[in-house]
Amino acid sequence: AGPFTVFAPTNAAFDQLFIDLSVSGLDDLDAATLTPILLYHVVGANALSTSLATGYINSLSDGPESTKVSIYVDITSGVVLNSSTNVTAADLTADNGVVHVIDKVLLPPDVVVTAQNNPDFNILIDAAVHAGLAGTLMGTGPFTIFAPTDAAFTTFLNGLGVGSITDVADTTVAAVLLNHVVSGNVESSEVTDGMVATLGTDSLNISTSSGVVINGDVNVVLTDVQATNGVIHVIDKVIQ
């Protein structure tokens, strides 16, 4: 019955996927592999191109604990999904939804790739690589990431008197980043007041009386960006 929105890769897009996965075709991929990929192209709503906005939408592909993995939509120049997949034909309507044609197969991303897909997290990704934590955060998890924006990191770096995250010792960056990571897939509906242990040396003091505020002055500005191995909540300041 739907309604569904299907972002439909072309045959050429699937041919490139087979090359990327080093397989000869669909027969080399079993249902367990294909199902989450295909469901990541489906949204459980009728989303015409005129209703799409820059931000996140949830697919039907499963994440941890009955969540659904998010897709990043950017309408700054056309419609681009996850930073590199273009909608090449839009609004092919059907009786139970709409199809948008895309030029690349989408793969459900982990928390690192999810952050890479958003241009507001460039410094965060550079920091994770510099600290040697990117590989860890691409692991099984699940992780909850309180993710500072580039603007937040720029303020942090200015306060240190440096111009780049790579100007800070990798051990220092690692220590800072680990204090932004909590074990488990903690959705916004599960956040409560109190102290929360991180994967670093510090705990976070969470207040929910006026939005979600960490340590008195760090605001959560966007919640529940879901990845395959965890969830991201966007914050406006680097936690120190």
Side-chain angles (χ1 to χ4, degrees):
F4 302 109
T5 297
V6 178
F7 294 103
T10 62
N11 288 344
F14 270 104
D15 287 340
Q16 184 60 52
L17 174 70
F18 303 148
I19 293 171
D20 294 341
L21 297 180
S22 299
V23 298
S24 60
L26 286 175
D27 289 342
D28 291 336
L29 300 173
D30 60 17
T33 301
L34 280 172
T35 296
I37 294 174
L38 293 179
L39 289 177
Y40 191 55
H41 294 77
V42 185
V43 175
N46 192 60
L48 294 170
S49 62
T50 52
S51 68
L52 294 173
T54 296
Y56 291 94
I57 55 176
N58 284 340
S59 72
L60 296 186
S61 189
D62 290 335
E65 301 173 13
S66 301
T67 58
K68 301 298 180 183
V69 181
S70 303
I71 304 169
Y72 183 68
V73 179
D74 187 345
I75 63 166
T76 304
S77 180
V79 178
V80 181
L81 309 177
N82 289 356
S83 78
S84 62
T85 299
N86 300 287
V87 173
T88 58
D91 299 335
L92 308 179
T93 56
D95 61 2
N96 67 339
V98 62
V99 175
H100 306 301
V101 181
I102 57 176
D103 63 358
K104 184 178 179 181
V105 175
L106 301 167
L107 297 177
D110 57 44
V111 290
V112 173
V113 177
T114 296
Q116 286 177 324
N117 288 335
N118 187 328
D120 281 338
F121 294 134
N122 289 330
I123 302 177
L124 174 62
I125 293 301
D126 289 344
V129 172
H130 179 54
L133 292 176
T136 299
L137 296 175
M138 296 173 81
T140 303
F143 306 104
T144 298
I145 313 290
F146 292 99
T149 61
D150 282 352
F153 264 110
T154 298
T155 299
F156 170 70
L157 294 174
N158 288 341
L160 296 178
V162 299
S164 169
I165 197 68
T166 56
D167 294 328
V168 183
D170 56 358
T171 53
T172 300
V173 175
V176 169
L177 288 185
L178 287 174
N179 286 328
H180 292 72
V181 184
V182 172
S183 180
N185 195 92
V186 185
E187 298 177 80
S188 59
S189 60
E190 300 172 310
V191 174
T192 58
D193 291 352
M195 302 299 293
V196 177
T198 69
L199 299 190
T201 58
D202 295 341
S203 294
L204 306 178
N205 187 2
I206 306 290
S207 171
T208 62
S209 59
S210 180
V212 177
V213 181
I214 301 170
N215 294 351
D217 63 350
V218 179
N219 299 289
V220 175
V221 296
L222 179 66
T223 63
D224 299 332
V225 179
Q226 187 63 55
T228 58
N229 67 339
V231 64
I232 294 173
H233 305 302
V234 184
I235 57 177
D236 64 355
K237 185 177 180 179
V238 174
I239 300 168
Q240 299 183 65

